[in-house]
Amino acid sequence: MFRRVLSTPIRFRSIVNDGNNGFCSASSVPTPEAESKAHLGRRVAQLLMIGVTGGIAISGVSDFVIFYGCTDQALEKARQNKKIVEAIGEPIVRGPWYNSTLAVNQKRHSLSCTCPISGPQGSGILKLKAVQSGDENWLSFLGHRDWEILIMDAILSIPSKEGNIQSIRVSIPNNMAPPPADCKPCNSQACTAPQK
C-alpha cells in the first residue's frame, strides 16, 4: 500500500516564502496623498450607503403609516356595514400587514389597497381606492393623513352548513352627499347628439 504525500511544488514555495522575489513584491509603498484620497473615497461611499439606507427606511415607515391610517378608516366602515357584520360576525379585526398590498402614487395623493379581515364566522379581503384629503406639507410625510375612500368592496369567505366555503362580494357605498335638488338627470342621447 502506497501513500502519496502531497507537497507544495518548489517553485510555488519559493514565491510564497520570499516576498521580494517573484509575484509578491512589496516595492510599491502608497504615498500619503494616495492614502488620503483612498480614505476620502471610502468615507464618501460610507455616507452614500447610509443615505440610501435611510431613504429606504423613511419611505417604508411612511408607507406603513399610510397603510394603517387608511385601513383604520376602512375597518370602521366595514364594522358599520350590516351585510359584513352578518356574514363574518363581530368583532371584525384586521389581518396581518404582510398579507396586504399597498400601491401609492408618486406624490402620495392616492392609493389602492387590499387588507385581510376576519371575524368569528369567516374572513375576507377589503379592497379600496382612496385619495388624500387635507393640506399637504412637509411635516405630513410621516404624520397622520386623512384619506377619503372612494371605492370599497369586501370579498368574504364564509363556511356553509354543508362544509363548503361560500364567497360573497359586498360593495360598501361611500358616504357622499346626495346631488343638489336643482340637479336634473342628463339624457344620454341628448348629451351625445351633435348640435347643428
Side-chain angles (χ1 to χ4, degrees), residues 71-142:
T71 55
D72 282 344
Q73 291 178 2
L75 274 174
E76 192 58 39
K77 279 188 162 188
R79 289 177 182 133
Q80 294 171 358
N81 189 291
K82 226 173 165 184
K83 290 180 183 177
I84 295 177
V85 171
E86 289 173 359
I88 64 173
E90 285 187 303
I92 298 173
V93 295
R94 177 182 23 232
W97 63 268
Y98 49 82
N99 285 340
S100 305
T101 62
L102 178 70
V104 184
N105 77 344
Q106 189 174 10
K107 301 241 182 202
R108 300 192 183 300
H109 289 294
S110 64
L111 64 86
S112 177
C113 177
T114 62
C115 173
I117 58 171
S118 62
Q121 301 168 358
S123 62
I125 296 175
L126 287 179
K127 293 183 176 186
L128 61 105
K129 294 188 186 294
V131 294
Q132 182 182 358
S133 58
D135 294 333
E136 172 73 21
N137 59 28
W138 67 275
L139 288 175
S140 68
F141 183 71
L142 288 175

Side-chain angles (χ1 to χ4, degrees), residues 49-63:
M49 290 302 293
I50 289 171
V52 168
T53 304
I56 291 170
I58 288 173
S59 177
V61 168
S62 174
D63 287 350

